[in-house]
Amino acid sequence: MANEVMQETAAVNSENNENTIKLQKKDLISSWFKWICFGQTCYNYERMQGTGFCHSMLPIIERLYPKKEDRAAAMQRHMSYYNTENNWGAAVGGIVASMEEQRANGADIDDDAINGIKTSLMGPLAGIGDTVTQSLVKTIFLSIGCSLALSGNVLGPILFFIGMTAYALGVSYNAYFLAYRNGKTSITKLLRSGVVKNVSEALGALGMMVLGAMVAANIGVTTPLSFTIGGSEIVLQTILDSILPQMLSLIIFFVTYRLVVKGKKPTYIIIGMFVVGILGSVLSILG
């Protein structure tokens, strides 16, 4: 009797395994690649990245749902409002792919659960991504690239393109597949581990060094002013350099930064620079 029960249980388990729908590696790679390349397709105020996210889910939907009406429902589910940073936000796609796979195999996961995960994670991941990608990584690559380009080196724009592409592909790929394997707990562990904070601080320090070097090398503001006191000529630029080399360049940078932070239009700032530069040259104040 016991043997018969064990055989029936084994038969049921075997049948369940055969009926289990499993996402293939190529489905996940296709979904990730569509997101990183076309995540902002048809970007609009109504859905933001909703269309792009739905497009990235098509390989997942086509694999999991053979029926036309189920595919239509899944596409409709992922056309809701969605907005995050593309690289780190790829983790949401991995989690949703895992949830869709569980749902297709009978798990009690409804539309609200999936949309709730998307809504709750898109903000924190956008905060991480915007800080690391836009404020740190891109600034570093732009600083290096611009410095090379200004010196006439063609590697400037090439280095920027290669560096940002490698960063985007590497971060988004690992974020997507880590989230798919470990689910929403992977994001929680990442946020609690302090890794993002440590990386942000390290990149911030590196970015400040690169930016400082770029300011000193490319903003060449000097003054030809000199005074004669007691028969001795005093050159103002020499005094400033003895206090802090490239002091005027640093002052111009901080003034410009302050104006940008205050919300002044870049066009007005550029025009102001032209006016100050021309008047300073005419009056022999700036060199």
Side-chain angles (χ1 to χ4, degrees), residues 89-165:
V92 178
I95 294 174
V96 171
S98 177
M99 295 179 71
E100 288 286 3
E101 185 178 37
Q102 296 174 50
R103 174 173 174 153
N105 287 292
D108 186 18
I109 300 176
D110 57 14
D111 292 2
D112 292 337
I114 294 176
N115 287 324
I117 287 294
K118 292 169 61 178
T119 303
S120 62
L121 292 179
M122 67 182 187
L125 287 172
I128 295 173
D130 289 340
T131 300
V132 176
T133 304
Q134 306 297 337
S135 302
L136 299 175
V137 176
K138 185 174 289 186
T139 301
I140 292 172
F141 281 122
L142 275 175
S143 300
I144 298 174
C146 288
S147 296
L148 292 173
L150 288 172
S151 64
N153 194 328
V154 72
L155 289 178
I158 296 175
L159 178 63
F160 172 74
F161 173 77
I162 293 176
M164 285 304 301
T165 300

Side-chain angles (χ1 to χ4, degrees), residues 128 185-198:
I128 295 173
T185 58
S186 59
I187 306 302
T188 305
K189 291 178 181 178
L190 177 65
L191 295 174
R192 290 178 178 175
S193 66
V195 172
V196 176
K197 180 182 178 181
N198 294 335

Side-chain angles (χ1 to χ4, degrees), residues 1-257:
M1 182 66 179
N3 290 335
E4 292 179 0
V5 172
M6 293 177 62
Q7 290 176 358
E8 290 179 1
T9 303
V12 171
N13 291 336
S14 177
E15 183 179 352
N16 289 337
N17 290 334
E18 290 178 359
N19 293 331
T20 298
I21 306 174
K22 183 69 176 176
L23 289 172
Q24 298 181 12
K25 184 68 174 290
K26 64 179 182 180
D27 302 323
L28 297 170
I29 292 177
S30 178
S31 175
W32 158 74
F33 192 73
K34 287 179 183 294
W35 166 253
I36 197 61
C37 291
F38 309 109
Q40 299 194 54
T41 301
C42 299
Y43 195 94
N44 60 81
Y45 287 109
E46 181 182 0
R47 291 188 173 91
M48 291 295 181
Q49 295 173 320
T51 306
F53 188 87
C54 179
H55 178 62
S56 71
M57 285 291 110
L58 289 181
I60 307 301
I61 294 171
E62 291 172 355
R63 174 68 62 183
L64 297 177
Y65 302 109
K67 294 182 180 180
K68 182 178 179 180
E69 55 270 22
D70 292 337
R71 291 183 178 182
M75 291 175 65
Q76 183 66 34
R77 178 164 59 249
H78 293 302
M79 282 293 289
S80 59
Y81 179 93
Y82 182 75
N83 191 40
T84 192
E85 195 268 341
N86 282 50
N87 303 312
W88 292 81
V92 178
I95 294 174
V96 171
S98 177
M99 295 179 71
E100 288 286 3
E101 185 178 37
Q102 296 174 50
R103 174 173 174 153
N105 287 292
D108 186 18
I109 300 176
D110 57 14
D111 292 2
D112 292 337
I114 294 176
N115 287 324
I117 287 294
K118 292 169 61 178
T119 303
S120 62
L121 292 179
M122 67 182 187
L125 287 172
I128 295 173
D130 289 340
T131 300
V132 176
T133 304
Q134 306 297 337
S135 302
L136 299 175
V137 176
K138 185 174 289 186
T139 301
I140 292 172
F141 281 122
L142 275 175
S143 300
I144 298 174
C146 288
S147 296
L148 292 173
L150 288 172
S151 64
N153 194 328
V154 72
L155 289 178
I158 296 175
L159 178 63
F160 172 74
F161 173 77
I162 293 176
M164 285 304 301
T165 300
Y167 167 81
L169 294 178
V171 169
S172 62
Y173 182 89
N174 285 285
Y176 186 99
F177 282 92
L178 178 65
Y180 170 75
R181 289 191 298 268
N182 301 316
K184 60 184 179 182
T185 58
S186 59
I187 306 302
T188 305
K189 291 178 181 178
L190 177 65
L191 295 174
R192 290 178 178 175
S193 66
V195 172
V196 176
K197 180 182 178 181
N198 294 335
V199 171
S200 298
E201 291 177 351
L203 289 175
L206 178 60
M208 292 300 294
M209 289 189 290
V210 173
L211 186 60
M214 184 177 178
V215 170
N218 297 294
I219 304 179
V221 180
T222 59
T223 177
L225 290 177
S226 61
F227 306 94
T228 301
I229 300 178
S232 300
E233 184 181 17
I234 298 176
V235 180
L236 181 59
Q237 185 62 49
T238 303
I239 297 176
L240 293 177
D241 288 340
S242 65
I243 299 173
L244 179 66
Q246 300 293 335
M247 179 184 289
L248 291 179
S249 299
L250 187 62
I251 292 174
I252 293 296
F253 170 77
F254 277 121
V255 169
T256 304
Y257 174 77

